[in-house]
Amino acid sequence: MSVKDHLIWKASTVYKRLADAYESPVTMDKPVCFIDTDSDGKLCVQQSALQILQQIQQPVVVVAVVGLYRTGKSYLMNRLAGKQTGFALGSTIESKTKGIWMWCVPHPTEAGTTLVLLDTEGLGDVDKGDPKHDTNIFCLAVLLSSTLVYNSRGTIDNKAIMDLRYVTELTECIKVKSSNIDDSSEFVKFFPSFIWAVRDFTLERKVDGKDVTEDEYLEFALKLKHGTSRRVMEYNFPRECIQKFFPSRKCFTFPFPTAKEKLSCLESLDSADISSEFLKVTDNFCKFVFRDSSVKRLKDEYTVTGRVLGHLATTYVDTISSGSVPCLENAVIAMAVIENEAAVKVGLQVYQSGMEKLKDSFPLELKAVSSEHQDLSSTATQAFMKRSFRDTDGKYLKSLEVGSVCLFRMVVNH
Ligand SMILES: Nc1nc2c(ncn2[C@@H]2O[C@H](COP(=O)(O)OP(=O)(O)OP(=O)(O)O)[C@@H](O)[C@H]2O)c(=O)[nH]1
Ligand SMILES: [Mg+2]
């Protein structure tokens, strides 16, 4: 092998090793706390969760569950993880999950993709001090997920829809652009798809005496009333928001999982003790989520990896904690800076390791060194391109080039 071939091979090995490290799947055997409340009552992202996300270079499908407390959310998330236990379940009337918990598992049906499950604190617990807290948790679930599961118990009646009143607050809690105009019509481009999971559903699914599907049942419940009276407008408003912000909707109605006396030990029950109809709906629900939930994407179809999800969570949580309104476009700009700086670093690392090897073959003619410089620069650029994001004016690519030339000069003058 010539010196040149050897160097190209070396540089591409370094690049491949870096790329492999980025793309290998990460498996967590149990969930961790992702977003919590600090001693001042402010939301904060847990460093340990960020460290896990940092290692996930695969695209992520993010499924978040929200809903009133004590409605079986954590149990359902464990089913999506394919596990009997994991997210902690509560067996008392007190709410159990606090903040947002995260569990990253290899996607069961999409190779090369990680499924991130987000289990959130139950909404509506009157013991909470800060009335804004529930809205913040709801907003974060919307902002971070690609599929949002709204979990409720009983039927989709007016109360259940009023319990989802957080959707009506989204226009005040999320902005697409930093300007002050109402840009909620653009939410739909960035918002997750929506699944309503109705638990302990005991009624017959009939509308006007006719059997209806679960989806038809949901659409019937979301139907608007005619009229302009205050009562009609109050009735319609949450329904309009759900329809407008979440055009992709799906519904699953789950029967009681087991006999009442066994509910408190549901997670340790044998499948023989769980109703076959409940198992069937759960299976359909999981299959639908695995098949239809898309990878999380940002503006310009940019694919979110675990690492990027960590940046996003930090940006949104910092914004909310500072009392400002999270802005989708600002978050993308902040993330582009972090990713592009890291992309320059990766590119320079590839270039530098190639040049270090070249030094072993010195003395060499300047022409030979220049030619190696060209080859290494192109490998470094490839590594940069793989990670960079929206470097539209080429500012970061330029800084990679400048950095490589500096390193080249240092080697030549040595
Ligand atoms: N009736 C009924 N109980 C369930 C169902 N799924 C889980 N449970 C039980 O309800 C209790 C609460 O379940 P969790 O999954 O912890 O509920 P959660 O919504 O996560 O509760 P919070 O974290 O407090 O908001 C546990 O005892 C579960 O075994 C269900 O479909 N129906
Ligand atoms: Mg829970």
Side-chain angles (χ1 to χ4, degrees), residues 196-229:
W196 193 315
V198 189
R199 313 291 285 278
D200 298 349
F201 183 80
T202 50
L203 301 178
E204 281 183 86
R205 258 191 342 258
K206 281 189 191 295
V207 171
D208 297 333
K210 271 201 224 132
D211 287 337
V212 290
T213 64
E214 292 156 303
D215 294 341
E216 284 165 343
Y217 171 59
L218 171 62
E219 292 313 307
F220 175 74
L222 295 179
K223 243 174 138 172
L224 304 182
K225 279 189 176 164
H226 293 294
T228 50
S229 71

Side-chain angles (χ1 to χ4, degrees), residues 28-96:
M28 296 164 65
D29 52 7
K30 59 179 192 321
V32 295
C33 184
F34 183 23
I35 296 169
D36 203 2
T37 314
D38 67 15
S39 49
D40 299 336
K42 282 191 173 156
L43 288 169
C44 56
V45 182
Q46 294 296 304
Q47 283 308 315
S48 47
L50 284 182
Q51 275 164 16
I52 294 169
L53 287 174
Q54 192 67 32
Q55 295 164 40
I56 302 176
Q57 309 309 324
Q58 292 186 338
V60 286
V61 168
V62 189
V63 181
V65 68
V66 289
L68 291 195
Y69 70 112
R70 322 298 301 124
T71 50
K73 298 182 296 297
S74 300
Y75 178 80
L76 192 61
M77 284 288 111
N78 287 340
R79 299 275 76 78
L80 281 177
K83 295 282 162 55
Q84 189 89 349
T85 55
F87 291 114
L89 269 54
S91 51
T92 69
I93 52 160
E94 279 180 322
S95 64
K96 179 77 182 175

Side-chain angles (χ1 to χ4, degrees), residues 45-155:
V45 182
Q46 294 296 304
Q47 283 308 315
S48 47
L50 284 182
Q51 275 164 16
I52 294 169
L53 287 174
Q54 192 67 32
Q55 295 164 40
I56 302 176
Q57 309 309 324
Q58 292 186 338
V60 286
V61 168
V62 189
V63 181
V65 68
V66 289
L68 291 195
Y69 70 112
R70 322 298 301 124
T71 50
K73 298 182 296 297
S74 300
Y75 178 80
L76 192 61
M77 284 288 111
N78 287 340
R79 299 275 76 78
L80 281 177
K83 295 282 162 55
Q84 189 89 349
T85 55
F87 291 114
L89 269 54
S91 51
T92 69
I93 52 160
E94 279 180 322
S95 64
K96 179 77 182 175
T97 310
K98 301 287 175 214
I100 300 182
W101 284 66
M102 172 187 91
W103 199 354
C104 305
V105 293
H107 195 289
T109 54
E110 290 295 323
T113 306
T114 295
L115 178 65
V116 180
L117 301 170
L118 299 182
D119 183 21
T120 65
E121 177 169 335
L123 307 168
D125 180 1
V126 283
D127 282 346
K128 280 177 207 167
D130 179 4
K132 198 85 207 318
H133 185 72
D134 279 355
T135 308
N136 290 340
I137 294 283
F138 185 82
C139 277
L140 283 170
V142 169
L143 287 167
L144 297 174
S145 65
S146 48
T147 292
L148 182 76
V149 180
Y150 179 65
N151 193 70
S152 73
R153 219 170 234 180
T155 56

